[in-house]
């Protein structure tokens, strides 16, 4: 998606260790008109897949899921990152390792909100090693939901998570794939 | 907002201790068409206030803020609930006590995304005692941003947070105010 790639080049910040920060427009402050175009792009990619639910994980996926769901006229369900006291006991759970925070956490979804009847598009802001996505796919498998595909705003191609899922036969569509970051410069695949 | 009140009566769940759960349509699974009507309602209430930023707090406020920001054509900024390793050191911080989880946590916003130039509408799904909202107001004060008002989907009137803010002169508009919950029945103010 050219609009997103140009925005990453214009406003993305590269920190030590090749960390790309897009908090000024994607996942802390959110340019809602860009987000609506991102939702439209996912709709164009998946509109014929019979999707009836948009899934993501808190927190930064929720804006993307909401602006995507608007185009599909489908509900959103977001996985929670720790068992909430208010979530109720009937939840699907999957253990995920966060390399960002170097800790494990559980992702949970109330069993009532993900069922065999659901044809799911999973969206998120970033995919690196794909650990969070693997947890969401595991939860969909537990629920018997059909995962029609994955939609990622920014895939870190050099960390391999997206390609590993593609090799497993998962349809993964990323709007921008960073091939590598060299001397502070972003090179897209 | 009649549409929201009717949905609360139809799909809200009342648990022991008078806890109202709306996870089937507002803050775990999200009815995005209802959410868009909620955003439209906040726009109608605040469209003449010169608002140029929609603020909320992760996680369940993000969908509401996004669908509200769409109507205002304004960006969203969401406060984070713990200092993220990726957030950067230049953040506004306020300490909040969560009665739900019975613990304190810090809400943080990157200083670059909230400034003296911002005229802010703060939105959230629930207001009970208003502790989280007080933290967001404190962060806006630190930033020198003008808070034009607060928009709440469901205010628990019997817990007093909304009225306390109104007494302080904050404009608080709630789409549904629960006066009390009696024998498992919701009574709106």
């Amino acid at each position: 998606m050219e609009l997103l790639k140009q925005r990453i080049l214009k406003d993305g910040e590269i920190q030590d260790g090749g960390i790309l920060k897009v908090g000024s427009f994607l996942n802390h402050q959110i340019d809602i008109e860009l987000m609506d175009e991102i939702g439209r792009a996912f709709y164009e990619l998946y509109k014929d897949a019979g999707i009836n639910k948009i899934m993501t994980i808190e927190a930064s996926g929720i804006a993307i899921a909401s602006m995507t769901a608007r185009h599909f006229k489908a509900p959103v369900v977001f996985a929670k990152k720790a068992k909430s006291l208010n979530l109720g006991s009937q939840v699907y759970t999957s253990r995920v390792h966060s390399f960002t925070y170097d800790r494990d956490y559980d992702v949970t979804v109330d069993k009532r909100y993900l069922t065999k009847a659901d044809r799911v598009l999973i969206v998120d802001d970033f995919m690196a090693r794909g650990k969070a996505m693997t947890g969401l796919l595991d939860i969909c498998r537990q629920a018997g939901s059909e995962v029609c595909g994955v939609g990622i705003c920014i895939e870190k191609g050099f960390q391999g998570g997206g390609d590993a899922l593609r090799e497993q036969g998962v349809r993964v569509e990323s709007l921008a794939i960073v091939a590598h970051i060299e001397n502070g410069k972003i090179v897209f695949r």
Side-chain angles (χ1 to χ4, degrees), chain A:
Chain A
M1 183 190 186
E2 197 53 34
L3 183 67
L4 178 59
K5 289 180 184 172
Q6 290 308 318
R7 187 63 175 273
I8 293 165
L9 293 175
K10 176 172 165 287
D11 292 331
E13 296 170 68
I14 293 148
Q15 298 185 337
D16 298 348
I19 296 171
L20 172 62
K21 301 299 303 299
V22 290
S24 67
F25 61 95
L26 194 68
N27 56 15
H28 184 15
Q29 182 168 247
I30 298 163
D31 178 335
I32 208 68
E33 296 178 70
L34 171 65
M35 199 60 90
D36 196 40
E37 289 306 315
I38 286 170
R40 190 189 314 279
F42 287 138
Y43 177 74
E44 287 303 320
L45 286 162
Y46 283 106
K47 64 186 174 190
D48 300 323
I51 283 154
N52 64 4
K53 191 159 285 184
I54 311 300
M55 184 185 194
T56 191
I57 183 165
E58 64 178 2
S60 47
I62 296 173
I64 296 156
S66 298
M67 299 307 280
T68 300
R70 191 174 88 73
H71 293 281
F72 282 93
K73 295 180 167 47
V76 169
V77 63
F78 66 87
K80 305 195 176 194
K81 275 183 179 169
K83 194 168 183 314
S84 159
L85 298 175
N86 272 359
L87 196 58
S89 58
Q90 293 305 304
V91 296
Y92 296 114
T93 277
S94 189
R95 176 64 52 94
V96 170
H97 181 71
S98 166
F99 286 92
T100 312
Y101 301 98
D102 189 28
R103 60 175 181 84
D104 289 342
Y105 59 93
D106 291 318
V107 293
T108 66
V109 172
D110 189 305
K111 291 181 177 176
R112 295 171 295 177
Y113 309 145
L114 201 61
T115 73
K116 289 184 169 56
D118 287 325
R119 296 179 53 82
V120 179
L121 171 62
I122 307 176
V123 298
D124 207 354
D125 56 342
F126 272 99
M127 183 183 294
R129 295 178 175 84
K131 297 298 182 187
M133 188 56 61
T134 301
L136 297 181
L137 290 164
D138 178 37
I139 281 175
C140 288
R141 185 193 51 71
Q142 293 177 46
S145 305
E146 168 97 16
V147 175
C148 300
V150 170
I152 299 296
C153 295
I154 305 174
E155 178 181 339
K156 294 176 171 177
F158 56 94
Q159 293 191 286
D163 292 332
L165 290 175
R166 292 178 184 103
E167 282 160 23
Q168 294 167 35
V170 179
R171 181 180 175 189
V172 180
E173 303 278 3
S174 298
L175 302 182
I177 303 182
V178 177
H180 53 272
I181 298 174
E182 224 168 40
N183 312 324
K185 276 207 158 41
I186 295 165
V187 179
F188 291 109
R189 184 186 289 180

